[in-house]
Amino acid sequence: MRGPGRGGGRVPRRPAHIITISSLAGAVGPEFCVAYAAAKFGVEGFMESLRHDVEPFNIRTTIVQPGFFRTELLVDASTTWAELSVDDYAERTAATKKVWESMNGQQAGAPVKLAEALLTIAGQEQPPARFVAGAIEAVAEKARGLLAQAEESRELGASLAHDDAA
C-alpha cells in the first residue's frame, strides 16, 4: 500500500514497538553529567513527541530509564576523566570521581535481568510509555518535586493570559 504523499491510499497499521534506552540521567540531571543528561533529556522529549505521531499506526513507544547496571561503563577503558583544571570545581570533581570509581563492579543492576524485563515489555500488547529500570525511588522523587513545583507556580503561572483570553 502507498502512504500519504505517495499517491494516496491508506497506510497499513501493522503493530510495532519502538524501545529506546535513555537513562536515569534523562529524568534526574546528575552533577557533572551535563552533556550526557542533556542528550538523554533530548531523547526523552523526542520519544514523548514521537509517540503521538506513531500511535495512530499501531506503533507503541517505550522509554527505558536504567539506573546503574553492572556493565563496563565505569571501567578505565570506558571512562575518560577530565583534568582537574578549574580550581573552583576541583574538590567536588575529585570526590565525584572517587565515588564513581568505587561503584565499578558494585552497581546494583543486573544486565541479564534488564534484558529479560525488556523482552517482557516488548511482548506486551499495551507496553508502558516509560519503564524505570532500577532507580525507581529517584524518579519518583523527581516526579514529586515536579508536582510540587507546578503547584507552587499555579497562582503566578496561571495569571499570565491576555485579559481577553478565555
Side-chain angles (χ1 to χ4, degrees), residues 27-38:
V28 180
E31 183 176 37
F32 297 119
C33 292
V34 175
Y36 183 75

Side-chain angles (χ1 to χ4, degrees), residues 31-100:
E31 183 176 37
F32 297 119
C33 292
V34 175
Y36 183 75
K40 294 303 183 176
F41 270 79
V43 163
E44 299 224 0
F46 171 80
M47 287 296 290
E48 285 184 11
S49 294
L50 178 67
R51 185 191 87 206
H52 301 291
D53 295 342
V54 300
E55 274 186 347
F57 304 105
N58 200 23
I59 300 171
R60 305 289 178 249
T61 62
T62 299
I63 301 166
V64 180
Q65 294 176 323
F68 280 101
F69 277 74
R70 204 169 295 174
T71 64
E72 295 183 357
L73 172 68
L74 298 177
V75 299
D76 290 338
S78 298
T79 307
T80 302
W81 302 101
E83 293 295 322
L84 302 177
S85 60
V86 179
D87 290 340
D88 292 343
Y89 288 103
E91 186 176 324
R92 287 176 38 224
T93 301
T96 300
K97 180 180 174 186
K98 185 176 181 180
V99 168
W100 281 51

Side-chain angles (χ1 to χ4, degrees), residues 100-130:
W100 281 51
E101 287 175 332
S102 73
M103 290 171 52
N104 184 32
Q106 305 301 312
Q107 302 95 316
V112 170
K113 290 181 178 182
L114 176 57
E116 290 167 352
L118 293 177
L119 289 172
T120 297
I121 289 169
Q124 293 175 336
E125 193 170 312
Q126 293 296 321
R130 180 171 276 103

